[in-house]
């Protein structure tokens, strides 16, 4: 079983409009509602790939109930979310059909009490016992300690469970120091962590700070990975336009599935890039276009140097 953690779950709403214009009224052509938050998106992609996956984290209120109702419909996915009193947030993506651009609005999460956080920690420890790998994903809601991910990384390492960390800012900085097996920042998050805007140098610096391996998202340039064996870059053959929400989460799912399947690094990166690109053209985060994904698996180039890391 693969375990994903989403401390700041969300109900994702996607609105499609003909053309998004400031200070104007818009007729919405389509509304899509999905359970969200980074780890939830990762879990849905993993389930679609055929993996048994368990979702944990925090959820509450009417939006929390809506998320859990939707998760119950996903084959291969087990809901182990911990209930809280506050209402889970919503995120709103507005897709401009003419330009293909997306505008994102993210609500803050609910205030988490010390008792609720303690209940989650107990549940997390229980779930680790049956996990083959764990992904710690996304932002922290108010009330959760800034060093939360560092503690969760240490708990996974103590249990002998490989752990992937995908967050940003101070939670990432503290989490890296706890020595996760893999981190997956984007270029801006990596530069904030290391102070370097040169991707390869920054990935190597992040490893010196504690990460065993680093995979950096470089947008249309694909993914750059650095680990003990060397470094590789996987690049998609073409840039796809659509809704980028969840593309990074699909990449995490590709990396995590490759890890548990013991795939070599180039194959992990090809899968992650193909899933990420196939998510851009899908209707909502946590989904991917199967035909685009299968086509890209044959067209992604990987370059690398096994002696450089």
């Amino acid at each position: 079983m693969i375990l994903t953690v989403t401390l700041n779950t969300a109900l994702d709403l996607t609105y499609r409009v003909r053309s998004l214009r400031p200070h104007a009224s818009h007729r919405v052509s389509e509304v899509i509602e999905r359970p969200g938050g980074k780890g939830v998106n990762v879990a849905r992609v993993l389930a679609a790939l055929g993996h048994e996956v368990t979702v944990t984290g925090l959820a509450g209120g009417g939006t929390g109930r809506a998320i859990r109702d939707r998760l119950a419909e996903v084959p291969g996915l087990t809901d182990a979310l911990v209930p809280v009193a506050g209402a889970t947030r919503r995120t709103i993506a507005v897709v401009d059909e003419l330009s293909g651009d997306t505008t994102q609005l993210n609500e803050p999460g609910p205030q988490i009490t010390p008792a609720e956080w303690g209940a989650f920690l107990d549940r997390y420890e229980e779930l680790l016992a049956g996990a083959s790998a764990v992904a710690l994903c996304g932002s922290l809601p108010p009330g959760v300690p800034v060093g939360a991910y560092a503690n969760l990384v240490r708990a996974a390492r103590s249990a002998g469970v490989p752990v992937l960390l995908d967050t940003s800012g101070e939670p990432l900085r503290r989490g890296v120091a706890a020595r996760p097996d893999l981190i997956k920042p984007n270029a801006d998050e990596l530069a904030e962590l290391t102070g370097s805007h040169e991707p390869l140098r920054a990935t190597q610096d992040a490893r010196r700070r504690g990460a065993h391996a680093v995979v950096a998202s470089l947008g249309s340039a694909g993914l750059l990975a650095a680990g003990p064996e060397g470094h590789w870059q996987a690049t998609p053959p073409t840039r796809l336009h659509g809704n980028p929400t969840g593309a990074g989460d699909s990449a995490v799912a590709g990396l995590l599935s490759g890890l548990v399947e013991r795939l070599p690094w180039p194959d992990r990166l090809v899968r992650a890039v193909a899933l990420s690109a196939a998510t851009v053209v899908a209707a909502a985060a946590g989904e991917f276009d199967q035909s685009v994904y299968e086509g890209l698996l044959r067209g992604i180039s990987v370059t690398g140097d096994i002696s450089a890391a």
Side-chain angles (χ1 to χ4, degrees):
M1 174 269 288
I2 299 175
L3 178 64
T4 72
V5 174
T6 311
L7 298 177
N8 210 6
T9 51
L11 186 65
D12 289 343
L13 301 173
T14 301
Y15 296 153
R16 301 186 69 89
V17 299
R18 176 67 175 167
S19 176
L20 183 62
R21 305 180 309 279
H23 316 299
S25 296
H26 298 79
R27 187 175 297 277
V28 177
S29 61
E30 183 182 22
V31 180
I32 301 172
E33 182 179 285
R34 294 288 188 275
K38 294 180 71 63
V40 172
N41 294 335
V42 171
R44 289 168 57 210
V45 173
L46 284 169
L49 292 172
H51 287 275
E52 293 294 322
V53 59
T54 296
V55 173
T56 192
L58 305 164
T63 46
R65 287 191 296 275
I67 288 171
R68 304 189 80 161
D69 289 344
R70 292 299 185 96
L71 290 178
E73 301 169 357
V74 181
L77 189 150
T78 299
D79 170 11
L81 291 167
V82 175
V84 297
T88 294
R89 65 192 178 120
R90 296 169 297 178
T91 68
I92 299 172
V94 183
V95 179
D96 185 316
E97 295 177 336
L98 284 180
S99 69
D101 293 334
T102 301
T103 299
Q104 190 80 17
L105 304 173
N106 296 327
E107 296 180 354
Q111 182 74 33
I112 305 302
T113 68
E116 290 167 341
W117 178 239
F120 167 77
L121 291 176
D122 291 342
R123 188 70 173 120
Y124 177 70
E125 293 274 1
E126 294 172 359
L127 292 167
L128 281 176
S132 58
V134 58
L136 309 174
C137 303
S139 60
L140 302 178
V144 171
V146 70
Y149 281 134
N151 291 332
L152 299 183
V153 168
R154 292 188 189 101
R157 287 177 56 81
S158 295
V161 179
V163 56
L164 182 154
L165 177 61
D166 183 16
T167 188
S168 60
E170 186 65 12
L172 175 60
R173 188 185 70 80
R174 297 197 186 195
V176 166
R179 307 187 67 81
D181 294 272
L182 176 62
I183 63 171
K184 197 219 66 69
N186 61 34
D188 290 339
E189 292 163 349
L190 186 61
E192 181 183 6
L193 173 67
T194 65
S196 174
H197 290 271
E198 199 289 306
L200 182 56
R201 180 180 300 172
T203 57
Q204 293 168 341
D205 182 59
R207 291 193 60 231
R208 286 191 291 270
R209 291 168 184 260
H212 183 73
V214 180
V215 176
S217 296
L218 304 180
S220 60
L223 296 175
L224 174 66
E229 305 92 340
H231 73 259
W232 295 267
Q233 184 168 349
T235 307
T238 185
R239 181 173 183 175
L240 299 176
H241 295 279
N243 181 3
T245 305
D249 305 331
S250 292
V252 168
L255 294 169
L256 203 59
S257 63
L259 185 155
V260 299
E261 294 172 29
R262 302 183 183 276
L263 297 181
W265 268 109
D267 292 345
R268 297 186 204 182
L269 293 176
V270 166
R271 179 182 291 180
V273 170
L275 283 170
S276 179
T279 296
V280 171
V281 298
E287 299 178 356
F288 61 93
D289 186 298
Q290 184 70 36
S291 62
V292 170
Y293 168 61
E294 293 175 354
L296 285 171
L297 286 175
R298 298 185 292 272
I300 293 169
S301 63
V302 181
T303 58
D305 183 349
I306 62 172
S307 64

